Amino acid sequence: MLKHLSKEEGDAPLGSQSPPAKRPCPDLQVPWNPEVDLCWHTLVRGASDECEPEWCESEDPLFILYTSGSTGKPKGVLHTLSGYMLYTALTFKLVFDYQPDDVYWCTADIGWITGHSYITYGPLANGATSVLFEGLPTYPDVSRMWEIVDKYHVTKFYTAPTAIRLLMKYGREPVQKYKRDSLKVLGTVGEPINPEAWQWYYSVVGEKRCPIVDTFWQTETGGHVLTPLPAATPMKPGSATFPFFGVVPAVLNESGEELEGASEGYLVFKQPWPGVMRTVYGNQQRFETTYFKKFPGYYVTGDGCRRDKDGYYWITGRIDDMLNVSGHLLSTAEVESALAEHEAVAEAAVVGRPHPVKGESLYCFVTLTDGVTYSRTLEAELKKQGKIMRRVLRKIACDERDLGDISTLADSSVVEHLFQNRCCVGV
Ligand code: PRX
């Protein structure tokens, strides 16, 4: 954890010979705990500039990233070293047409697969110059992204449809305040992009100069699997177009038969590619059941798709019990069980409802326990439900005994148990 710094302390000029700038967080009062907190700057001062590589096998695990499962707990998607690295490096290079003088910016959070593959591994493996951004597209104002594009002369820009739809609401003016003439390729990922948002991205942001790469992929696929190649693939607004090299898609009907030509059905893949996940961590059985059982011999994406007469693929959305809210995959089962944990709830059913900015929003049907009457307060509590445990866990982690209301916990004795067994993992 970094120490709270004053604005001045954090403002060392970029590229100066002085020690790296400390991270300013003027509004964050994080209490410094000398027992567990170490200051990064003190630690790196004595560290060597050289770091001997650790030699690994190509199929050694690289990382595990958890993604929602349509049933039960989230799945630990396991990627391995060489295949994943090769695949992210190659897709980054070709899908963004990466050239050595490019300045690339992906707005994703580094903790998600988009950040892993296309902020960290892909760009770094290519030695790319990247903009790393931690903030909001609307703060301090809705021109923030375009201001950054001009400031760093960003050439390749990668974001999500939900961000585009959000910015669209504010019109052209905040975009046109900035030149954006460095931009060459615009990318999108995470959810289907509606043609209206696509047109706005293409015409207003890219001024019809920049090809759009609508990249379809998943935590599981490691990297892009359906995507245009910029300026080489004729685009259709809202279509992720064609498979990347080595990826062989098929469209199946409910009986598992491959459909030919223009058709609609389950999107599956017929052969592996280097970046595909290797297993569900600790549960190979679940890996096989989730992805290979429904249609033996195929990898099932869980997405529906349409293939048009020209062979273009159009993702129609999830066909399992998953929702995509602002590019976040949520399982209806997880939300339902969070709601059902509330003592006022007898039963809950959750479905998706189209939302103009988020793509989908949660629509929850709730049956209240006998004798409980509906109120706005209850509604507000239910909205918070599911976040409650996290709030409690955060306090336990900080050894704070004032937990607030924990009456909705199914078994509150677990809290004392966690306090008793609390230990800290230092950096
Ligand atoms: O439903 C598809 C949607 O996002 C799902 C994968 O989510 P996740 O594993 O969190 O990874 C997100 C970042 C790769 C897919 O099953 N999805 C992703 N990209 C697109 C998309 N839907 C339509 N078009 C896309 N370009």
Short mmCIF file of all heavy atoms in Angstrom, two decimals, residues 11 17 44 80 92 100 199 267 276 280 290 393 413 417 419:
data_model
loop_
_atom_site.label_atom_id
_atom_site.label_comp_id
_atom_site.label_asym_id
_atom_site.label_seq_id
_atom_site.Cartn_x
_atom_site.Cartn_y
_atom_site.Cartn_z
N ASP A 11 4.27 15.12 -7.44
CA ASP A 11 4.30 15.78 -8.73
C ASP A 11 5.68 15.88 -9.37
O ASP A 11 5.92 16.79 -10.15
CB ASP A 11 3.69 17.18 -8.61
CG ASP A 11 2.19 17.11 -8.85
OD1 ASP A 11 1.71 16.01 -9.17
OD2 ASP A 11 1.52 18.14 -8.71
N GLN A 17 15.51 13.04 -13.81
CA GLN A 17 16.46 12.08 -13.25
C GLN A 17 16.15 11.76 -11.78
O GLN A 17 16.72 10.88 -11.19
CB GLN A 17 17.89 12.63 -13.34
CG GLN A 17 18.40 12.70 -14.78
CD GLN A 17 18.31 11.38 -15.50
OE1 GLN A 17 18.82 10.38 -15.03
NE2 GLN A 17 17.60 11.33 -16.64
N VAL A 44 12.47 0.08 -3.60
CA VAL A 44 13.15 -0.01 -4.90
C VAL A 44 14.49 0.71 -4.89
O VAL A 44 15.35 0.41 -5.71
CB VAL A 44 12.29 0.49 -6.09
CG1 VAL A 44 11.14 -0.43 -6.34
CG2 VAL A 44 11.84 1.91 -5.91
N THR A 80 -1.44 -20.27 -19.77
CA THR A 80 -0.05 -20.71 -19.62
C THR A 80 0.88 -19.78 -20.40
O THR A 80 0.44 -18.95 -21.19
CB THR A 80 0.12 -22.16 -20.10
OG1 THR A 80 -0.36 -22.24 -21.43
CG2 THR A 80 -0.64 -23.11 -19.21
N PHE A 92 -1.97 -8.37 -30.88
CA PHE A 92 -1.73 -6.94 -30.66
C PHE A 92 -1.09 -6.31 -31.90
O PHE A 92 -1.51 -5.27 -32.39
CB PHE A 92 -0.82 -6.73 -29.43
CG PHE A 92 -0.42 -5.29 -29.26
CD1 PHE A 92 -1.31 -4.37 -28.74
CD2 PHE A 92 0.84 -4.85 -29.65
CE1 PHE A 92 -0.96 -3.03 -28.61
CE2 PHE A 92 1.20 -3.52 -29.53
CZ PHE A 92 0.29 -2.61 -29.00
N PRO A 100 6.47 0.71 -34.74
CA PRO A 100 7.33 1.18 -33.64
C PRO A 100 7.09 2.62 -33.19
O PRO A 100 7.36 2.95 -32.06
CB PRO A 100 8.75 1.01 -34.21
CG PRO A 100 8.61 -0.05 -35.25
CD PRO A 100 7.23 0.08 -35.83
N GLN A 199 -21.16 4.15 -35.43
CA GLN A 199 -21.13 5.28 -36.36
C GLN A 199 -20.57 6.53 -35.69
O GLN A 199 -19.80 7.29 -36.29
CB GLN A 199 -22.54 5.59 -36.91
CG GLN A 199 -23.07 4.58 -37.90
CD GLN A 199 -22.25 4.52 -39.20
OE1 GLN A 199 -21.31 5.28 -39.40
NE2 GLN A 199 -22.62 3.58 -40.08
N LEU A 267 -22.30 -19.90 -31.17
CA LEU A 267 -20.95 -19.70 -31.69
C LEU A 267 -19.99 -20.65 -30.99
O LEU A 267 -19.89 -20.66 -29.75
CB LEU A 267 -20.50 -18.25 -31.44
CG LEU A 267 -19.05 -17.97 -31.82
CD1 LEU A 267 -18.83 -18.09 -33.33
CD2 LEU A 267 -18.63 -16.58 -31.34
N VAL A 276 -5.67 -20.05 -26.02
CA VAL A 276 -6.89 -20.51 -25.34
C VAL A 276 -6.55 -21.02 -23.92
O VAL A 276 -5.44 -21.50 -23.68
CB VAL A 276 -7.60 -21.61 -26.18
CG1 VAL A 276 -6.82 -22.91 -26.18
CG2 VAL A 276 -9.04 -21.82 -25.69
N VAL A 280 -9.79 -24.95 -15.90
CA VAL A 280 -10.33 -24.16 -14.79
C VAL A 280 -9.48 -24.55 -13.59
O VAL A 280 -9.37 -25.75 -13.28
CB VAL A 280 -11.82 -24.48 -14.53
CG1 VAL A 280 -12.29 -23.85 -13.21
CG2 VAL A 280 -12.69 -24.02 -15.69
N THR A 290 -18.10 -27.19 -18.72
CA THR A 290 -18.55 -25.86 -19.14
C THR A 290 -18.36 -25.63 -20.63
O THR A 290 -19.24 -25.09 -21.30
CB THR A 290 -17.77 -24.77 -18.37
OG1 THR A 290 -17.83 -25.07 -16.99
CG2 THR A 290 -18.34 -23.39 -18.63
N LEU A 393 -15.56 -7.45 4.97
CA LEU A 393 -14.22 -8.02 4.77
C LEU A 393 -13.14 -6.95 4.75
O LEU A 393 -12.05 -7.13 5.28
CB LEU A 393 -14.19 -8.83 3.47
CG LEU A 393 -15.03 -10.10 3.49
CD1 LEU A 393 -15.04 -10.76 2.13
CD2 LEU A 393 -14.52 -11.09 4.54
N SER A 413 -21.22 -15.34 13.20
CA SER A 413 -20.09 -15.83 14.00
C SER A 413 -18.83 -15.94 13.14
O SER A 413 -17.70 -15.93 13.63
CB SER A 413 -20.42 -17.19 14.61
OG SER A 413 -20.49 -18.15 13.60
N HIS A 417 -14.55 -15.28 13.83
CA HIS A 417 -13.59 -16.29 13.39
C HIS A 417 -12.53 -15.66 12.48
O HIS A 417 -11.33 -15.90 12.61
CB HIS A 417 -14.34 -17.40 12.66
CG HIS A 417 -13.45 -18.47 12.13
ND1 HIS A 417 -12.90 -19.43 12.92
CD2 HIS A 417 -12.99 -18.70 10.86
CE1 HIS A 417 -12.14 -20.22 12.18
NE2 HIS A 417 -12.19 -19.79 10.93
N PHE A 419 -11.66 -12.49 12.35
CA PHE A 419 -10.80 -11.60 13.14
C PHE A 419 -9.71 -12.39 13.86
O PHE A 419 -8.55 -12.02 13.86
CB PHE A 419 -11.63 -10.82 14.16
CG PHE A 419 -12.10 -9.49 13.65
CD1 PHE A 419 -13.45 -9.20 13.54
CD2 PHE A 419 -11.19 -8.52 13.27
CE1 PHE A 419 -13.88 -7.98 13.06
CE2 PHE A 419 -11.61 -7.29 12.79
CZ PHE A 419 -12.96 -7.02 12.69
#
